[in-house]
Structure formats: structure tokens, C-alpha cells
Amino acid sequence: MNQSVTIGVAALLIGGVGGFIAGKSGGSDAAGDSASVERDAKFRREASAVHQDGTAPESRARSIKEALREPGQLARLQSLVDLYEGMSLEELAAAADSLDDLPMADRIMASILLFSRWGEADPQGALAYSETMGFGGMFARPTILRSWASVDPVNAAKYYAEHPNEFNGPGGRRGPGGEGGADLVAREWAKLDPDAAMAWANSLEGDDKGSAMISIVGEVAATDPAKAATMAATLTGDDQMRAYGEIAQKWAAEDFSAAESWIQTLSGEAKDRAMSEAVQVLARTDPDAAAAKLASISEGGARDRAVAILAGEMAQEDPAAAASWLGNQQTGDYGDAMRRIMTNWTAQDSAGALSFIEAQPVGEIRDSATQTYLWQNQDVEPSQAMSLAEAITDERNRDRTIGMTARRWMETDETAARAYVESSDLLSDRAKQRILDGRGGPGWGGRGRGR
């Protein structure tokens, strides 16, 4: 494992939330076999090596808790990297046992780095340990697999093929972060040998095949978008369109003009999707230029997504101007764009955001603006908040927003809030009961603030 701070930071991002729910139940039996003993000796020798810049660690921490006491977040990351670099396999298992004793934020940091290191040193031992972690193992395993693939993709791929279900989330869904095991292996393999990675991906079946190929194309696009485009041309259907989207994102970030020239060689839905992705990237640095490119995208979902992203980017500087611009656009989803605008507007100028809402006619824009405003702003007086929520025309969104507002009201005046809910003519009896029983909490209103 690279001992630099920047690699430590990258490792922190590898597995999303890593193995932060790690439990204390024992280590892995795999650490005791002869292969593990040999690996143990190898990594002990590596522990005494100097940093890649030629300097040696001046004073390696002796424990996770000591490393986490370092002043400064980057210093803590580096101290943890140095600590794990010097541990034997048995010591890594013991360190994993101790993660439960840490505060959650520290546990996330320490565990992702730990399982990243362990995944390189003894991946099968680390995976065997993850089986003792209960629910937490679901978060640790993707980190281990990805670290394994970063140094030995052939065997990581073989293990995944033999144990694919180990890397699924609850109910067979894709793992934390939305990536499946095949994606993790493919992305790391592509860094080392993209052609071999693509040959392996071609041998897969079902969803794994398409998602692995897209991951490889996306990885190659970061350094050689032209080669990635050649790879993507061999794909078909939605897999090809998704791959073209990945290429457009990466290429536009480096050279928008070159990306646009390539996009012009495409046609139909693939062209629209790629152009939408490129415009979304351009919007981060030059919203006006991005807005001028919208005319090259046909009406539909791809254009709607670009409009929403552009609206959000414009709103960071001038939400009122962004809202005015949105009103002149043809889009099938004003709601998403308005949510992005209102999130910024409420934070920057709550009074101005409210004035905008009050000036809007009944409809999708007002509904979306009102809902976002109330979710974002906890300082609205309850009766005013209820009046705004009641004006939302979509019944499901109205019930959800009224329930959220009632929950907040109950925190300061439960009697008044309950009386309002019980006497409401807008809420169904079922919605009333859910609010009163659950105080507007999870389970009654679908997706809430994070929708």
C-alpha cells in the first residue's frame, strides 16, 4: 500500500462506508495456514521499508487510538496507513477486533484503511474475518475485494466468480455505493491491463457482463477516451449508451471541444445521452456555455437531466436568475430542476425564496419549490408552514410535507400539532393515523428529505 497521505485519502473513499460496523468476534483461521505465514513474513519485511519519497516514518503510532489522536485529519490518515503497514496478519485481525470501541466517525476512517491494507496482504483471510462480522461484513467485503483486485485482479476475479453472492447487499441488491463485485474487479483490473480486463468481462453473463464492461470503459476514458470509445463501440443497447455517457463525462472534463467532436459522430439516443453528460460537466465551470449547448439535445430524459443540473449550477450564483431561466425552458421535469434551485435559494435568501413561491401559479413549479423550501427551512412558523404545505396539489407530496411539518410542530407544541392533524380536511384518515402514530417519521411518507 502506498504510504503517502494522498493514497490514504483515496483509500478512505474506496469502500464508501467500508467495514465500519465491524464487530469484535474473532479473527480468521486462514491467517494460520502456510500460505498466510509466508505472506505474513513478506508484509513484515515491507513494514520496515521507507516511504516512496525515500523517507522513513519518524514515529509510527503504536495503536489505532494513538493514531487517531494525531492533530489534523490528514496526519491521522497517514498515521493509520503507517500503523497498518507495519502490522502482521494476526495484528490486523486484532486491530479489526478493536474497531467497535471507536466512535463512529473514527471507526469509518480506521476500518476502511484497515480492510484496504488487509485486502492487499491476505484477502482470503480478510474475507474469512468479514464472515464473523454479521451485518458489518457486507460493508467490509467490497473494500477487501477492490483492494485485492488492485494488486492481483486475476485471483480476485476468480474468487468473485466462485462467490458472487458474498458481495451483494440485502435482498441480493448491489453492494454499498451501488457497485457490484464485478464492477470493483473490472475497474481495478482496467488500471493495470484494460484489454485483459475486457476479455474477462466478456466471459461474464447477465448484468455482471454489461456493468463490468462499462466500468472498464469508464476507467480507460479517464486517460485515453479515444480508446474507450473504440471499446464502447463493441457494446450494444443500453450498455453501449451508458458507456458512451461515461466517456462523455471523462472526455468533457479534459477537453470539451474534443468530446463534442466525438459526440457528433454518434446518432439518436446515444448522441443525446452523451451530449447531456458532457453538458452537465461543462455546467460546473461555464453554465452559460453549457446552456447554449442544450439546443443540440433532443427533447426527452437526457435533455431534462441536463436542464436540472444546469439550473442547480446557476442557482449557486443567482437562484432568482436560475428560476427565471428555468421558466423559459422546455422540460418534462420542472420539479427536479426547481428542487435544485430552491435548495440553494433557501440557504442563501429564505425570504426571497418564499416571495418567489408566493408569486407562482398553482402547478408543478410551485409544488416542487414549496416542498423543498419547507424541507430545507426549519424556521418557518408552523401555521405558515402548514398553509404552504396545504397548497401543494400532488396528494402524496402534500401528505408527506404536512407530516414532516407536523412532526416539527410537535417538538414545540404537540397539542396544537395533533389538533391540526385531527381536524384537517385535506388528510385522509389513513394519513392522519400514520402521522399521529409515527409523528411523521420513516415508514409513512416514503422517501423524505434525501429524495
Side-chain angles (χ1 to χ4, degrees):
M1 177 182 288
N2 189 324
Q3 290 179 305
S4 71
V5 169
T6 53
I7 294 301
V9 174
L12 182 59
L13 301 175
I14 282 176
V17 290
F20 72 87
I21 315 178
K24 290 185 175 182
S25 46
S28 159
D29 293 338
D33 63 24
S34 58
S36 292
V37 169
E38 182 178 346
R39 284 193 296 269
D40 194 357
K42 174 176 180 258
F43 281 92
R44 277 184 178 277
R45 290 193 297 272
E46 287 183 0
S48 62
V50 297
H51 284 182
Q52 288 193 349
D53 63 2
T55 63
E58 295 181 3
S59 56
R60 181 175 282 131
R62 290 168 294 182
S63 69
I64 294 175
K65 289 184 177 180
E66 183 177 325
L68 291 170
R69 285 196 293 269
E70 289 276 0
Q73 186 83 330
L74 293 182
R76 292 183 201 118
L77 286 166
Q78 183 64 68
S79 188
L80 284 168
V81 171
D82 289 339
L83 174 65
Y84 296 145
E85 195 76 34
M87 286 185 172
S88 68
L89 302 181
E90 290 87 350
E91 289 168 336
L92 287 170
D97 286 342
S98 71
L99 291 173
D100 245 5
D101 298 330
L102 301 176
M104 182 60 72
D106 289 343
R107 192 188 313 175
I108 294 172
M109 182 193 305
S111 63
I112 292 175
L113 291 174
L114 188 154
F115 285 108
S116 295
R117 168 61 175 169
W118 201 352
E120 293 181 7
D122 179 19
Q124 296 205 43
L127 287 167
Y129 180 94
S130 74
E131 295 295 332
T132 71
M133 293 165 54
F135 184 75
M138 182 187 71
F139 295 90
R141 283 188 284 275
T143 298
I144 297 166
L145 181 66
R146 186 166 185 175
S147 293
W148 187 0
S150 72
V151 295
D152 184 8
V154 174
N155 284 310
K158 181 179 178 182
Y159 184 92
Y160 172 73
E162 294 170 351
H163 309 86
N165 293 332
E166 287 188 13
F167 304 95
N168 290 334
R173 295 188 296 271
R174 299 172 76 79
E179 284 191 304
D183 304 336
L184 298 172
V185 173
R187 197 173 293 280
E188 291 301 322
W189 202 340
K191 290 181 172 72
L192 303 173
D193 188 342
D195 293 327
M198 186 61 86
W200 169 73
N202 263 307
S203 72
L204 301 176
E205 298 179 352
D207 292 342
D208 275 355
K209 181 174 183 177
S211 62
M213 287 181 169
I214 293 165
S215 295
I216 294 165
V217 168
E219 190 61 44
V220 173
T223 55
D224 191 347
K227 178 175 181 176
T230 300
M231 287 180 160
T234 66
L235 306 182
T236 59
D238 188 60
D239 288 341
Q240 186 179 70
M241 284 197 295
R242 289 170 58 200
Y244 283 156
E246 287 268 349
I247 296 168
Q249 287 180 25
K250 303 288 176 58
W251 209 337
E254 296 299 322
D255 186 342
F256 182 86
S257 295
E260 186 177 25
S261 295
W262 165 70
I263 291 168
Q264 295 306 317
T265 68
L266 306 178
S267 61
E269 191 176 351
K271 180 178 179 180
D272 285 335
R273 180 161 184 167
M275 194 63 191
S276 173
E277 298 291 350
V279 166
Q280 291 173 49
V281 171
L282 182 61
R284 299 173 195 158
T285 55
D286 193 343
D288 291 337
K293 299 293 182 181
L294 283 176
S296 62
I297 308 174
S298 303
E299 289 188 16
R303 190 177 188 280
D304 292 345
R305 287 190 294 273
V307 167
I309 294 296
L310 255 169
E313 294 293 338
M314 292 177 174
Q316 293 185 30
E317 295 296 328
D318 189 341
S324 177
W325 173 83
L326 177 62
N328 294 319
Q329 303 304 308
Q330 292 296 321
T331 177
D333 187 6
Y334 285 102
D336 187 22
M338 182 49 64
R339 278 189 289 273
R340 295 171 186 272
I341 292 171
M342 193 56 59
T343 296
N344 283 284
W345 206 341
T346 303
Q348 295 176 29
D349 178 11
S350 177
L354 179 59
S355 295
F356 170 81
I357 291 170
E358 293 174 337
Q360 298 307 301
V362 171
E364 183 183 8
I365 287 181
R366 178 172 179 138
D367 281 359
S368 181
T370 300
Q371 191 175 10
T372 305
Y373 174 80
L374 292 175
W375 279 101
Q376 294 289 328
N377 191 350
Q378 300 188 36
D379 298 326
V380 184
E381 194 273 327
S383 62
Q384 182 186 32
M386 282 301 185
S387 179
L388 288 167
E390 288 172 350
I392 295 174
T393 57
D394 179 85
E395 182 179 356
R396 184 168 179 266
N397 287 334
R398 183 177 64 236
D399 287 355
R400 179 191 294 120
T401 307
I402 288 176
M404 177 276 299
T405 304
R407 181 193 64 203
R408 289 181 179 165
W409 195 355
M410 287 178 183
E411 293 174 357
T412 57
D413 190 343
E414 182 172 355
T415 301
R418 292 181 71 88
Y420 166 83
V421 172
E422 290 168 349
S423 63
S424 173
D425 294 328
L426 291 173
L427 296 171
S428 66
D429 290 341
R430 186 165 178 258
K432 288 180 182 180
Q433 198 59 49
R434 285 180 173 175
I435 295 171
L436 295 173
D437 288 348
R439 295 194 175 188
W444 69 270
R447 291 177 298 169
R449 190 170 187 172
R451 73 189 297 268

